[in-house]
Amino acid sequence: MHIPAPFRLQAVILAAIIFALATAGSASAAPTITRLSLRGLQSGATSRLTVDGTDLQPNPRLLLDAALGPQIVQPGGTANHLEIEVAIPPEVLPGIYQLRISTARGISSPATIGIDALRQATLTADCGPLPVALTGVVNGSESTHTTFAGRAGQTVVVDVEAKRIGSSLDPVVRLYDSRHTQLAFSPALDSMHGDCRLTAKLPTDGVYEIELQHALFKADGNSFFRLKIGELRYADVAFPLAVERDQKAEIKSLFSNLDADAKFPFIASGMLAAPLKLEPNRELTGPQPSVICSDQVEYVVSEGKTSSAAAPCGINGIIAKRNQEDRIPLIVKPGMKLRIDVLANRAGSPLDGVLTIRGDKGAQLASSDDRIGTCDPGSDFVVPANVSKIELGLKDMQGRGGADYFYRMDVADMSLPDFTLSLNEDHINIPADGSTIVRLEVTRQSYQGPILLTFNGLPAGAQAVDGQIPAGANVALIAIKAGQQSPIASLASISGRGTAAAASIARPVQLAMNSATANQPWLRNELGMAVVESAPLTIAWGETSAEQRLPIGAKLALPVKIVRTPQGAGPVRLSLIHSQAAPPKREVKKPAKPNAKAKPAKVVNDADRLLRLDGMPVIAADKNEGAVSILAPVDLPQEIYDIAIRAELLSVDQKTVLATVFTPVLHLSATGGFHLQLTSSPKVEAAAGVGPVGKYRGKIVRQAGFDAPIRVTLTGLPKGTTVPEITVPADKSDFEFPVQFKYGTKPGELRGVQLVASTVEDDDGPEGVVHSAPVNVQIKVLRGAEPKLQKPLTIFEDDEKFLARLDEGHGVATLEKSDAYSGKASIKVTPDERFTTDLPGLAVKIRENPGNGEYRYLTFAWKKSGGEHLALQINHDGDWGAVDNKPATFRYSAGAGDCFGGTLMIAEKPPVEWTLITRDLFADFGEFTFNGIALSPHDGDFASFDHIYLGHSADDFEQTPPPIKIEKK
């Protein structure tokens, strides 16, 4: 006697999805900087710099985006500590720079420093002669102190660089005289982007004290600073803020102690922004003021007025007087989608702006005040029909004004093509004679074309394998290949240029913004790159087909091969890198039961919706070949994706990564995993009632790895028509789809009808179903004869004797008289199941055209309490499940589990309320003899079954007992 196999839960292990790319070569080989003894270097002099970090050997060298003089590494250095004497030529302009360490094994992330003509020293109780720049750290709630000797009438500037060089310190600085009387105080200043500065004219000769602290007395371990003291020169803001690209302008400085009337020549040659470079003022300290290099015409408002500007454009102005409102006439086109962004407070201006948009007759059309995260106003505005001119008004909310109340309005046309490029990594290490992968992200505006990449400053012998981001792609994997020469380090940058409509748009690839780069955007373009020693192994794809596709909702198996050197022995862990953009988070709300409290929305795990590997495969130390299985989520957009495998050579205990290498990048198209193909005529005739039965024949064409059951049905049928449906099991491709209509359906041609196919599985909503393209079909409904209903065969309806016939299985079956779908009672079955191989009086034939004593259709009602799945299984010809000559599953199930040997999934979840199921047994399983039945809750508390009948046609079931009506309270 054959016992039906129970369900088996399939354990699914999701690999962690990691977007940040590991650098090639040894994971611990690339140097890191954790502390610098000086956060500044003196131009025209030699400084001794102490560096603490990791992997600082061998052959350490400093890299800076400026000319460096001789640098001498002092004896006695270690991998965690070294001293370097470095000379900075006098022609290096003052400013903020990014310092890196390179060794024979890689290049570090940057540490931000200042360069100026000041003497550099570490903080001591007496700072010595002025001017000076002192490096120190504020700890916790402590304050830091130093003193200097001053003279009467001397004007002293005390400038704190912290935020501007990447520190987490929120500084507050005070100046005291010898009696500890406070002479001056400075909190964080917007114009200095969170840093502080005070200026004081000293009243007498004597010793003066400077006190520096964290504003909230809670400095952390990253609260370093550079304290500059002396008769300093500074300039924080350039006006106008923006200049049209390739145009010349005269720029003046704001928040400055330079000559108020001084103007400095500037040519807008940068991609997004460039430093002003105040060359005549080499005594300047701090960053050079930033000027935006604009793609648009830039206007400057004079005394609150300007001639008409034309959108798109930039408008630069100063609210110089109290209660002043700058009013700018703007020429526009009807229907234009404008984005108006006011930059003021974010750039250090005290302006708390209010933006007003008026029509040409003065009527207010829109207004804006604060936005989330800023008090700078802005508005997305669609120009009304028949409007060709509007007026932009800007004023301070409190009616304030002054020489420093500057602003810039960016008036952008959102229909014009544009894009931005970003990169998470700030340093890339490439193994000699190998390659690494850079993951670039694109944000597009009205442009979906390809983007051509330019790589500037790559190490000698290095080159990009593919210098283009494909059309429509929002993420791209770019391989950079190195020659045999190493070590070589350089400071590189990447830029992109659009084609066709965006040919004039050039944008730099920008790194993540931080406090040091927020006001110096050119620093975000700087990428450290190095060619390092060869890796002890390489990895490549095995044999792949040019027609390879990613089957949506299924798996794609791909082979990989490893070539090892003697140093490459060890297990190799594989993980996936891909170009799929992270899908937006989504919430799924489950419908509440009647009179039940609504359940909170469930946030779906985004990792389930990303390309990923099935598990975390590891190639054993004695193997050189392996395979990966890529899972393509069911809602993966049908696009081209870049795919690569990262291979990590592990130590024997698999706790340490010794080396990291990458396969070449594959470009794979994601397709639906299957498509519906009609092999018969798209035209059928079908009777309403007794008469001809239409029949479509077709097949499910599956991609390799796609083995899900497929539901086939019709859409576009008249309202009220019973929609036919069949399920093609995972192990079948060919199908026949019968078409017939209930007696009384109106005869005639049906238009707009389509045969459609979709997966049965569901991931908490419609996003979890994979659909195939529909096939247009034509149906002619014929007038049929009124059917003579046949009496259905009862398998169970209230019969207590049926329980005794379910004589096998480890579950318990009882008659439940308090709960039924129809009649007076149902069957309650506890896990795992109850079944019978030979049900007395059954042994009936299932046929396409049943005769006397033969049947085709099955109906039953079921529901579940607890657990994840349940099934109704059919014994056919003395067997359960698939057999050699009958590969059909002979099982109906609902829920997440699978029956051993396969199942026909008819619902994604077990129903918790009575649900009636009617199935075409012949369409599902072909011809067979129905011998027995198994009722299988498998898990949870129990399952209930009721109303089990066989019929010649689905119409026969109209004679069965009706469902019990449950009155709602």
Side-chain angles (χ1 to χ4, degrees):
M1 186 175 295
H2 182 80
I3 300 176
F7 290 101
R8 297 192 302 178
L9 285 175
Q10 181 182 12
V12 179
I13 304 175
L14 294 179
I17 305 301
I18 305 173
F19 283 132
L21 301 180
T23 55
S26 171
S28 60
T32 62
I33 300 172
T34 57
R35 192 186 73 85
L36 297 175
S37 61
L38 299 176
R39 281 288 170 168
L41 298 174
Q42 184 177 0
S43 60
T46 297
S47 303
R48 176 171 287 202
L49 183 67
T50 300
V51 183
D52 292 324
T54 61
D55 298 296
L56 301 177
Q57 302 286 346
N59 304 325
R61 302 293 290 173
L62 298 177
L63 270 80
L64 195 71
D65 188 20
L68 286 178
Q71 47 180 299
I72 302 172
V73 180
Q74 303 302 300
T78 68
N80 303 112
H81 179 88
L82 61 88
E83 291 185 9
I84 301 180
E85 282 190 353
V86 57
I88 304 297
E91 61 268 20
V92 174
L93 291 176
I96 302 295
Y97 292 81
Q98 296 188 123
L99 181 74
R100 301 172 189 263
I101 294 283
S102 73
T103 69
R105 294 174 181 168
I107 190 169
S108 72
S109 293
T112 310
I113 64 167
I115 292 182
D116 48 38
L118 303 180
R119 177 175 62 88
Q120 308 295 315
T122 56
L123 183 77
T124 56
D126 182 347
C127 71
L130 302 185
V132 69
L134 305 174
T135 296
V137 177
V138 175
N139 295 311
S141 61
E142 298 176 0
S143 57
T144 300
H145 302 260
T146 191
T147 59
F148 67 90
R151 65 181 184 275
Q154 182 182 10
T155 300
V156 173
V157 176
V158 179
D159 187 317
V160 179
E161 280 180 356
K163 295 294 188 185
R164 290 172 292 171
I165 56 173
S167 172
S168 61
L169 178 65
D170 291 326
V172 173
V173 66
R174 291 178 172 85
L175 176 65
Y176 301 97
D177 65 12
S178 58
R179 297 173 299 174
H180 205 69
T181 300
Q182 180 173 301
L183 300 180
F185 159 83
S186 176
L189 301 174
D190 290 337
S191 61
M192 298 180 67
H193 305 278
D195 282 344
C196 56
R197 179 193 296 128
L198 62 82
T199 301
K201 188 172 183 179
L202 303 183
T204 62
D205 293 349
V207 176
Y208 292 83
E209 180 183 357
I210 297 171
E211 179 184 46
L212 177 63
Q213 67 184 59
H214 188 282
L216 299 178
F217 297 96
K218 57 176 185 179
D220 60 23
N222 198 40
S223 296
F224 55 85
F225 62 84
R226 186 166 178 255
L227 178 63
K228 299 177 295 183
I229 314 165
E231 298 180 45
L232 309 179
R233 307 280 278 172
Y234 58 86
D236 297 334
V237 176
F239 183 84
L241 271 67
V243 175
E244 184 180 357
R245 192 181 315 281
D246 299 326
Q247 297 299 307
K248 297 180 180 179
E250 294 291 323
I251 305 293
K252 69 177 183 178
S253 59
L254 303 179
F255 296 99
S256 169
N257 62 358
L258 302 181
D259 185 349
D261 296 325
K263 293 186 178 180
F264 303 92
F266 178 80
I267 299 178
S269 58
M271 282 194 178
L272 292 179
L276 182 55
K277 296 183 179 179
L278 303 173
E279 296 192 39
N281 295 281
R282 294 197 173 274
E283 71 272 25
L284 189 79
T285 69
Q288 299 278 349
S290 172
V291 181
I292 297 169
C293 299
S294 171
D295 292 318
Q296 307 170 147
V297 176
E298 293 290 326
Y299 299 90
V300 177
V301 178
S302 176
E303 298 181 356
K305 297 179 182 180
T306 183
S307 58
S308 291
C313 65
I315 300 166
N316 300 265
I318 296 176
I319 305 295
K321 301 177 182 178
R322 289 187 56 83
N323 300 315
Q324 175 180 318
E325 181 182 32
D326 283 7
R327 304 178 76 147
I328 301 101
L330 186 68
I331 298 172
V332 294
K333 295 178 181 179
M336 245 185 178
K337 296 181 179 179
L338 300 179
R339 173 162 292 170
I340 304 169
D341 178 30
V342 175
L343 176 64
N345 190 264
R346 288 170 293 161
S349 173
L351 179 67
D352 183 359
V354 176
L355 172 68
T356 304
I357 304 174
R358 301 182 179 92
D360 56 357
K361 295 183 180 180
Q364 180 173 308
L365 302 178
S367 66
S368 172
D369 184 11
D370 297 352
R371 289 178 290 169
I372 296 176
T374 178
C375 63
D376 287 339
S379 177
D380 286 350
F381 178 74
V382 179
V383 178
N386 302 318
V387 171
S388 59
K389 193 172 186 180
I390 60 176
E391 182 185 75
L392 303 179
L394 185 67
K395 63 182 181 180
D396 184 77
M397 171 172 279
Q398 302 174 48
R400 299 172 302 167
D404 296 331
Y405 280 69
F406 63 88
Y407 67 86
R408 176 179 180 257
M409 276 193 277
D410 179 27
V411 183
D413 183 350
M414 299 305 291
S415 67
L416 295 180
D418 200 357
F419 57 84
T420 60
L421 302 169
S422 61
L423 172 66
N424 286 332
E425 295 299 304
D426 57 25
H427 66 291
I428 301 292
N429 293 303
I430 317 167
D433 205 22
S435 64
T436 191
I437 290 176
V438 175
R439 188 177 193 271
L440 298 180
E441 298 189 9
V442 186
T443 301
R444 297 175 180 266
Q445 173 189 293
S446 302
Y447 176 68
Q448 295 301 318
I451 299 171
L452 304 179
L453 299 174
T454 299
F455 293 76
N456 299 304
L458 293 181
Q463 61 180 352
V465 176
D466 185 1
Q468 178 170 294
I469 299 175
N474 293 319
V475 179
L477 303 184
I478 306 296
I480 300 179
K481 186 177 181 179
Q484 295 181 346
Q485 184 180 2
S486 71
I488 312 171
S490 68
L491 298 178
S493 64
I494 311 172
S495 60
R497 183 177 294 276
T499 61
S504 63
I505 303 298
R507 296 289 180 257
V509 172
Q510 293 192 295
L511 311 184
M513 183 187 295
N514 56 41
S515 63
T517 62
N519 193 46
Q520 300 158 103
W522 52 88
L523 295 181
R524 294 178 60 192
N525 308 341
E526 189 179 287
L527 179 65
M529 299 193 73
V531 178
V532 300
E533 58 193 10
S534 299
L537 76 165
T538 61
I539 184 170
W541 297 106
E543 186 175 347
T544 58
S545 168
E547 302 300 319
Q548 205 83 59
R549 299 288 187 270
L550 281 170
I552 296 175
K555 300 178 183 179
L556 174 62
L558 294 173
V560 292
K561 295 181 178 180
I562 290 175
V563 177
R564 305 175 187 259
T565 67
Q567 293 76 32
V572 177
R573 181 172 61 203
L574 306 179
S575 56
L576 181 68
I577 304 169
H578 58 78
S579 64
Q580 182 192 0
K585 292 183 179 181
R586 57 188 175 100
E587 293 184 343
V588 177
K589 291 187 177 181
K590 296 183 178 180
K593 298 179 183 179
N595 302 318
K597 184 178 180 181
K599 294 183 178 180
K602 175 184 177 183
V603 178
V604 176
N605 186 354
D606 285 337
D608 296 343
R609 304 169 64 203
L610 287 169
L611 288 164
R612 60 197 186 277
L613 293 187
D614 188 5
M616 184 73 79
V618 175
I619 299 176
D622 60 347
K623 303 291 183 183
N624 291 324
E625 294 184 352
V628 294
S629 185
I630 301 174
L631 297 170
V634 293
D635 57 350
L636 183 70
Q638 295 195 23
E639 299 171 358
I640 296 176
Y641 294 91
D642 295 345
I643 300 293
I645 295 297
R646 175 175 48 218
E648 296 171 313
L649 177 66
L650 304 177
S651 58
V652 175
D653 61 5
Q654 300 193 19
K655 293 182 178 180
T656 304
V657 177
L658 304 177
T660 304
V661 292
F662 302 88
T663 64
V665 178
L666 286 181
H667 308 291
L668 299 179
S669 296
T671 60
F674 71 96
H675 69 269
L676 178 65
Q677 185 179 92
L678 196 61
T679 58
S680 64
S681 171
K683 299 179 180 180
V684 299
E685 295 182 347
V690 177
V693 176
K695 186 175 293 185
Y696 290 116
R697 293 182 178 85
K699 63 172 53 180
I700 303 299
V701 181
R702 305 173 187 268
Q703 288 194 40
F706 193 93
D707 55 1
I710 303 297
R711 177 182 290 129
V712 181
T713 188
L714 287 171
T715 62
L717 295 177
K719 188 177 181 179
T721 304
T722 301
V723 179
E725 174 189 300
I726 65 167
T727 300
V728 183
D731 57 357
K732 290 182 66 176
S733 294
D734 296 323
F735 67 86
E736 290 187 350
F737 188 88
V739 181
Q740 57 188 129
F741 296 92
K742 191 173 182 178
Y743 180 73
T745 301
K746 183 179 179 180
E749 299 280 353
L750 299 182
R751 301 184 183 279
V753 180
Q754 293 180 318
L755 195 66
V756 297
S758 63
T759 52
V760 176
E761 292 87 354
D762 193 288
D763 281 346
D764 293 317
E767 294 89 347
V769 177
V770 183
H771 298 276
S772 175
V775 176
N776 295 321
V777 294
Q778 302 174 34
I779 300 175
K780 183 177 182 180
V781 181
L782 305 176
R783 191 181 303 277
E786 185 175 0
K788 294 180 180 179
L789 299 180
Q790 303 289 326
K791 184 177 181 180
L793 175 66
T794 304
I795 295 179
F796 172 78
E797 187 73 80
D798 299 338
D799 186 3
E800 191 169 2
K801 296 179 182 179
F802 182 78
L803 302 182
R805 296 165 184 160
L806 299 175
D807 53 3
E808 298 182 74
H810 298 292
V812 176
T814 57
L815 197 68
E816 183 63 50
K817 295 183 179 180
S818 62
D819 184 17
Y821 171 80
S822 61
K824 299 179 180 179
S826 65
I827 306 170
K828 178 179 177 181
V829 182
T830 61
D832 59 357
E833 59 190 351
R834 294 298 293 177
F835 64 94
T836 178
T837 302
D838 297 296
L839 189 64
L842 197 55
V844 295
K845 292 181 173 58
I846 304 301
R847 297 292 184 265
E848 180 178 11
N849 298 300
N852 291 332
E854 298 175 341
Y855 299 90
R856 177 166 178 165
Y857 290 87
L858 170 70
T859 192
F860 60 92
W862 63 358
K863 66 177 182 176
K864 184 78 184 293
S865 174
E868 297 183 353
H869 43 272
L870 80 162
L872 185 146
Q873 307 183 57
I874 297 169
N875 184 284
H876 63 98
D877 308 299
D879 287 307
W880 299 95
V883 295
D884 292 340
N885 62 337
K886 288 188 178 296
T889 59
F890 295 94
R891 297 179 175 95
Y892 296 116
S893 63
D898 283 344
C899 273
F900 176 74
T903 185
L904 202 162
M905 192 83 68
I906 59 176
E908 69 273 10
K909 296 178 182 178
V912 296
E913 303 290 347
W914 282 114
T915 301
L916 183 67
I917 306 295
T918 300
R919 300 297 305 186
D920 184 336
L921 291 170
F922 176 79
D924 290 339
F925 308 129
E927 290 190 351
F928 65 94
T929 299
F930 197 136
N931 295 108
I933 194 169
L935 308 180
S936 309
H938 185 70
D939 65 354
D941 301 324
F942 62 87
S944 299
F945 299 84
D946 198 4
H947 195 81
I948 308 175
Y949 292 89
L950 291 171
H952 292 69
S953 70
D955 292 333
D956 292 346
F957 299 136
E958 294 180 5
Q959 304 173 75
T960 60
I964 297 172
K965 292 184 179 180
I966 301 176
E967 294 186 5
K968 296 182 179 180
K969 297 182 180 180

